[in-house]
Structures are given as structure tokens and as C-alpha cells.
Amino acid sequence: MLDVLCVIDTRFTGGTPAAMGSDIAVFLEAGLQVGVAGVRSAYLADMPDGWSSKVSEVMADDRLHWIEPQEGGAVAAETVFLHHPMTFFCGIETPLPLRAKRVCLVAHHLPFRADGSMQYDPIATARRIHRKTGATPEWLPVSGVCRAQLDAFRPFIRLSALDWPNVFDVGAWEPRREPFSGGSLVIGRHSRPDPLKWPDRAADVRASLPNLPGGEIRVMGCPRAEMAKLGVDMSAWKVLEFDEEPVAGFLDGLDVFAYHYHRAYSECFGRTVAEAMLMKAVCVLDPRLEPTFGNLAVYCPPEDTAQMITRLQGDPVAARALASRAREEITRRHGTSSVMPRLAALQAKTPQPAIAQPAAERTIPRHLIAKKLIGMVRRREYFEWQIAARAQSRE
């Protein structure tokens, strides 16, 4: 029997496999027997088959056991972590029978989009997991914002009192320079090249990465084709492919990490923001991220970004103090030292209180949930056969 089994669609890029990898590294160092099972879901139908670069990086550790889902035999583990609810809401292709003491679904994704429409139904997700694995999952939110949304679905889902936030090996995120200490101003951002990670209007894209006197713009991970369709002029940017450089090194070269995103998108946590804070880049963020990061950043709409950065330039001492405070707080909240105590609490069935988070949005009323579910059905986004048909049409 494995101590821990992690289940993920291996085509995932970005924060989900990075968060899983951080957990796995801690489990392995603690001497646990850890396995990874790969599944395929219609959610990532647009992605190429195989392992993403981030999953390949995780699987490079030869202490890991690779589990191939097969018809028939069950996988035995003390604790199972299913990663990303959209994987299981959209349905996995091959059943993965589980024989485990506890099966947990790590909610890296919010049920509702920023425009209020529903992305997945947690109740249906739990049922689809049971049908494919034989287990009823316990939900582990990665943030207070996520917990607030999932709380609306109790008692029809098993919502843990324990949060499962992203963690970082802080020793691997050691900045070598202070922001606003060089001759030039470097503004940049890093994310997977998903259009939803970017503003959906050309004017907002340009404003969120302002071309200021004596400055330069660096971007790692850019949906070039979509930006070109919007009419965004990228000629003054230094654009790198997603993860073309080590993320820590790229972020260490920035004075300002500027991050705004699509009006219809919701960030469940914002791992790339936390990474920037660990590398002491001063973060100028979309105001929708304030419930997660509070006073660790400054917030403004895209059109005010240039003014905000100019203000930071005018008081570099205060800007560096903000960067230092953000690094210290992210280290405290999200260091790897929290993982094994949380696992012990989870296994002991005496979960600690949920990690304190800034005030999150109010629980969604039940009648509104019913309306959103009807909307999903009408958009052909609810039933697995609808999702599969949409996925096939995109291929």
C-alpha cells in the first residue's frame, strides 16, 4: 500500500502540477511511499498527449511510483489526493478504482467564474468521482475564496475544515537583488500562455504593461496569436516561451510584477503571484486578487498601472519594504513546513481549523445555484456527453 497517491491529468501545466510537485517533494523527504496516477479528461482535450514539462519535472524523482490506470485492479493507498476538480467534473476516460482510507479532492479551481456563471458543479463532480473510483471525496480548498464558494454546496459535499494551500520550498526562491535598485526599471509577468490569464481588450493589455521612460518589459508565457488578433503591439517586449527560463531566475530580474487578467476569469489562488513575492518583485495586481494577498501588494485597474508604478519609483525605500514584507508573509503562510502537520491532521480525522484568510465573498444562495446549473445545461457545459461533444468539436 502506498502512503500517498496523487492523481492528475498529466497534460496540466502551470500552478496545478507545481503545487502537487511541492507537496510530493515534502512527502518523499519524510520517507513516505508516494505514487502518481495519470488520467485523461475532456477538460484538457486541447492539450497534446503525454506529460507536460512540469509533470515530467516532478516524475524525474526515481523514488516515485508511476501508476497506470487499468480496468479491474484497485490502487491501494493510505491517502489519495485528486488534483483539480475540472478534471473530474468533465470526466476521466479510464476508471481508477481506489482502495484508500481517505480520498481528497484538492480544489485548485473555483466553481464560479468572475461573471457569476458556473464552471463546474461540486455535487456532480463528487458523484462522477464516485462512479469512476468508488470513493466519495473530501474537498480541500486551496484558499479562503475557494472555501467560501464551496461552502454553498454543503451538506451535499464533504467540505474539510482543513485548507490545502499551495506551498513552496522557500530555499529554492532566494532573490539576489532588491527591486528598484538598478539603473533601469523592469516590468514583467509570468503565466501559462492562456488567453484567460490576460486582459481581453488590447487597451487593457497595453495599459497593464506600460512602456515607461527608461524601462523595459519582459514576459514569459504569452498567447502570441491571441494578442496579435487583439491588435496588441508586442515589438517593445522581450517575450520568452512559457518556462523557457527557470521561473525564479526570470522573476529575480523584475522590479515590478504586473498581473491583470480576463474579465470572465477567476483566480482561485494565484501561485505565480506568490512566486513573484518570494523573489521580491513588487506586485501590482488586479483588484480581484486583494482578498487573497491583502496588504502584500498594490491593486489597480489596468489603466492605472503606469501611475501606480511611477508612484513606486518615487519612493523606492517604501517599495523595497513592501517587497520584503510580502516575501516574509508568503514564507510564513506557504512554507513547506506546514505540509506534514496538515497531512497528520487529515489522517487523524482531527483537522485543524481552516487557515485564516482575508474576508471572502458571501456564500452563494441556493436559488442562485439552481439558476446557474440551468445555465450550464443550456450552454452544453454540464453533462459529460455534452462536455465530450464540445471537446471533440475543438480537436
Side-chain angles (χ1 to χ4, degrees):
M1 176 181 282
L2 295 167
D3 295 304
V4 173
L5 174 68
C6 295
V7 182
I8 191 171
D9 189 322
T10 57
R11 296 170 292 176
F12 262 111
T13 61
T16 297
M20 182 189 75
S22 297
D23 291 344
I24 286 174
V26 177
F27 297 149
L28 291 173
E29 288 306 306
L32 302 185
Q33 292 292 313
V34 183
V36 176
V39 294
R40 281 180 54 89
S41 168
Y43 179 55
L44 296 181
D46 293 340
M47 301 295 289
D49 289 339
W51 294 355
S52 69
S53 60
K54 184 60 69 175
V55 171
S56 297
E57 182 182 318
V58 172
M59 293 305 304
D61 195 313
D62 58 13
R63 294 173 292 177
L64 278 174
H65 302 274
W66 171 249
I67 308 296
E68 194 75 43
Q70 298 178 4
E71 298 281 357
V75 183
E78 180 87 6
T79 303
V80 177
F81 292 99
L82 309 174
H83 283 275
H84 208 290
M86 288 296 290
T87 298
F88 302 95
F89 175 69
C90 293
I92 58 175
E93 292 179 1
T94 305
L96 181 66
L98 297 172
R99 184 159 50 85
K101 292 186 177 180
R102 63 200 57 80
V103 175
C104 304
L105 175 56
V106 184
H108 300 275
H109 208 64
L110 298 174
F112 295 93
R113 298 184 180 93
D115 62 4
S117 62
M118 188 179 284
Q119 304 184 86
Y120 66 88
D121 174 9
I123 300 171
T125 303
R127 289 174 179 165
R128 291 169 190 177
I129 288 171
H130 185 272
R131 190 167 67 246
K132 290 289 188 176
T133 69
T136 299
E138 181 176 3
W139 290 70
L140 297 177
V142 302
S143 68
V145 172
C146 185
R147 173 173 294 279
Q149 290 196 9
L150 289 173
D151 187 65
F153 296 88
R154 290 193 303 145
F156 304 107
I157 64 170
R158 296 172 57 208
L159 181 59
S160 176
L162 193 72
D163 283 353
W164 200 265
N166 284 214
V167 296
F168 303 86
D169 177 5
V170 177
W173 300 86
E174 289 286 353
R176 297 182 180 180
R177 64 185 291 273
E178 293 288 329
F180 297 97
S181 59
S184 63
L185 171 70
V186 183
I187 303 166
R189 54 167 287 160
H190 164 251
S191 69
R192 69 177 187 271
D194 183 339
L196 290 174
K197 294 281 189 177
W198 288 75
D200 54 314
R201 296 181 292 201
D204 290 342
V205 174
R206 288 192 294 267
S208 70
L209 293 170
N211 192 3
L212 298 177
E216 60 177 299
I217 299 169
R218 298 179 189 172
V219 172
M220 188 159 72
C222 177
R224 298 174 191 252
E226 287 77 6
M227 292 298 104
K229 287 178 184 177
L230 285 178
V232 177
D233 181 5
M234 298 175 283
S235 60
W237 301 358
K238 179 181 180 182
V239 182
L240 303 175
E241 297 302 321
F242 179 59
D243 285 351
E244 183 177 333
E245 292 182 359
V247 177
F250 173 81
L251 294 172
D252 199 30
L254 305 183
D255 296 292
V256 173
F257 181 85
Y259 185 60
H260 294 83
Y261 49 93
H262 200 289
R263 287 173 293 174
Y265 185 65
S266 296
E267 279 283 7
C268 191
F269 171 60
R271 186 179 178 90
T272 189
V273 175
E275 291 171 345
M277 289 178 174
L278 285 171
M279 295 308 296
K280 283 192 171 182
V282 180
C283 292
V284 178
L285 306 177
D286 191 301
R288 289 172 288 174
L289 287 166
E290 189 168 5
T292 299
F293 294 104
N295 65 356
L296 306 184
V298 293
Y299 307 89
C300 64
E303 61 269 21
D304 293 340
T305 303
Q307 179 182 356
M308 185 66 72
I309 294 174
T310 300
R311 191 179 305 164
L312 291 167
Q313 275 186 295
D315 192 349
V317 174
R320 288 193 287 271
L322 173 60
S324 295
R325 185 173 74 249
R327 175 179 164 78
E328 290 169 5
E329 187 62 17
I330 293 297
T331 298
R332 185 187 69 81
R333 291 186 199 174
H334 299 285
T336 53
S337 60
S338 68
V339 173
M340 290 309 293
R342 280 192 277 115
L343 180 63
L346 193 66
Q347 293 177 337
K349 284 296 181 185
T350 55
Q352 302 164 347
I355 291 176
Q357 296 282 351
E361 56 198 70
R362 188 172 298 172
T363 300
I364 298 94
R366 296 276 165 78
H367 72 276
L368 185 58
I369 291 175
K371 289 178 62 176
K372 301 301 182 184
L373 289 173
I374 293 170
M376 289 191 77
V377 175
R378 288 175 173 169
R379 295 193 306 272
R380 305 179 66 81
E381 295 177 349
Y382 188 79
F383 297 108
E384 287 180 89
W385 63 268
Q386 292 178 324
I387 297 167
R390 288 169 60 89
Q392 288 176 1
S393 69
R394 297 198 306 266
E395 290 178 349

